[in-house]
Amino acid sequence: MRRQAPPDDECAEIVALRATLERQRAEDAAKERELERYAADLRAASRRERQVSRELRETYTLTVRALSNAVEARDAYTAHHAERVAAYGAEIAAVSGLVLGEEPQIEYGFLLHDIGKVAVPDAILFKSGALDDDEREEMQRHPVIGEEIIREIEFLAPARQVVRHHHERWDGTGYPDGLAGEAIPLAARVFALADALDAITSDRPYRAARTLAQARETLRDSGGQFDPRILAAFEDIPDRVIDGIRRGAA
Ligand SMILES: [Fe+2]
């Protein structure tokens, strides 16, 4: 049986539908290309932003290191001290799972902890004997002076608490504010232990460096000076890691 041809107006309708579909496809493809271009622009902008922020962070770190080196240049005995303390502190924080806030900020605080010593006279800073009461008082002003020095620098705002509180003690007998326990900012508590470790294992004008084993013993017997959680985390760090940090900084 012969199939009947569709009427002319039906054919015209099909042709028009096909044309509409074709137009629609072309419009969709154009939109898709536009979206792809937009996504590529966004990716490029984000890459540029990451690059700028990386460069800014490197500049900050170099500036902080330069300041830290300027402080240490006064005293041959403290060479690389801030760098080692920063590395010990980062290791203790990593082992104990402590969240110290934004890492570079804490590193900045560790590197600049003694910046206030620029205001301490040489006669006091390098005195070989014991300090008298007035000299001790003068020396103990350095955390507050340090905080003042960096107060106006916006990017160092979180680092200020390490600078101000790095001589506080867990038992409340430290300075400048006599804070105790968890009232002491966490980063300053980590710093205190890292600082003591480096002091014990470094040469001083009045004594030779002690071994890591001796340092561990001294820190263990330090009474209430350090946060017990941080002390326990330090005990978990193997000797080879501490030695590696010492060699790296040297
Ligand atoms: Fe200090």
Side-chain angles (χ1 to χ4, degrees), residues 108-126:
Y108 297 159
F110 284 15
L111 288 169
L112 293 175
H113 65 281
D114 267 344
I115 192 168
K117 281 191 177 169
V118 293
V120 178
D122 285 0
I124 296 177
L125 196 60
F126 303 124

Side-chain angles (χ1 to χ4, degrees), residues 113-114 117 142-143 166-167 175 191 195:
H113 65 281
D114 267 344
K117 281 191 177 169
H142 78 269
H166 73 275
H167 284 292
Y175 61 92
F191 173 87
D195 189 37

Side-chain angles (χ1 to χ4, degrees), residues 160-186:
R160 282 208 296 265
Q161 45 180 233
V162 177
V163 175
R164 182 173 181 108
H165 296 295
H166 73 275
H167 284 292
E168 305 285 0
R169 294 169 54 129
W170 182 252
D171 58 11
T173 60
Y175 61 92
D177 299 316
L179 300 181
E182 295 190 356
I184 306 168
L186 180 59

Side-chain angles (χ1 to χ4, degrees), residues 82-102:
E83 215 170 304
R84 284 191 302 268
V85 170
Y88 292 147
E91 189 60 37
I92 293 169
V95 167
S96 57
L98 297 171
V99 178
L100 282 182
E102 220 185 314

